[in-house]
Amino acid sequence: MREIGTVVSVGARRITVSVKKTEACASCGQCSHAHVRFGDNDTLIIEALPIGEVKPGDKVELEMANRDYLRLSFFIYIVPVLALLAGLGLGWFLGSFLGNGSLWGAAFGLGSLGLSFFWLHNYDKTACETGRYLPIRQALSYLV
């Protein structure tokens, strides 16, 4: 994912960039990330990691690696489903010895689904603190 934006503010370890929404924004899904918020009308305000020196008003290009985007998509969509299925199978197996496999399967499935959401929440908090999935900013001298 690559977008061009304008630096709004510069912090010690992060910068804030204003990016105009495009047609691709409708299908991207990145807006739900903690480092993205909505600005005026059709702009997004994005936190990014700076490379080199920038100042407010500079035009920059933001890039998020495709592998990071795929990893996040896997965590958000596939991990809860796998946890649900694993809990359902384990509960059904153990419940067959206790007499009601479907009840225990549902209980274990919902429990493991809840644990996967708890894990995702903690993983997201850690990623926000460390800046693990922040886009990287590259200066665009030809746009200045």
Side-chain angles (χ1 to χ4, degrees), residues 38-68:
F38 294 101
D40 299 335
N41 298 329
D42 59 347
T43 62
L44 297 174
I45 307 298
I46 301 173
E47 290 181 19
L49 298 174
I51 297 177
E53 295 293 323
V54 300
K55 58 187 181 305
D58 286 352
K59 294 282 188 186
V60 295
E61 181 178 34
L62 299 174
E63 180 178 12
M64 182 173 190
N66 287 337
R67 67 175 170 37
D68 286 344

Side-chain angles (χ1 to χ4, degrees), residues 4 7 10 19 41 58 61 67 69 84 86 91 102 122-123 126 140 144:
I4 295 175
V7 176
V10 178
V19 177
N41 298 329
D58 286 352
E61 181 178 34
R67 67 175 170 37
Y69 185 72
L84 175 70
S102 59
N122 287 330
Y123 184 82
T126 303
L140 294 176
V144 177

Side-chain angles (χ1 to χ4, degrees), residues 101-143:
S102 59
L103 179 67
W104 285 101
F108 272 69
L110 291 175
S112 63
L113 181 66
L115 286 174
S116 73
F117 287 139
F118 178 74
W119 178 81
L120 284 171
H121 176 72
N122 287 330
Y123 184 82
D124 184 52
K125 282 173 56 175
T126 303
C128 287
E129 290 171 3
T130 61
R132 168 112 168 87
Y133 296 105
L134 281 175
I136 296 174
R137 189 259 349 142
Q138 297 175 348
L140 294 176
S141 58
Y142 61 86
L143 289 177

Side-chain angles (χ1 to χ4, degrees), residues 1-4 19-32 36 38 42 44 46 62 66 69:
M1 175 187 93
R2 287 186 178 182
E3 292 293 332
I4 295 175
V19 177
K20 185 171 175 60
K21 285 190 211 178
T22 62
E23 296 291 325
C25 288
S27 62
C28 174
Q30 294 279 334
C31 297
S32 61
V36 178
F38 294 101
D42 59 347
L44 297 174
I46 301 173
L62 299 174
N66 287 337
Y69 185 72

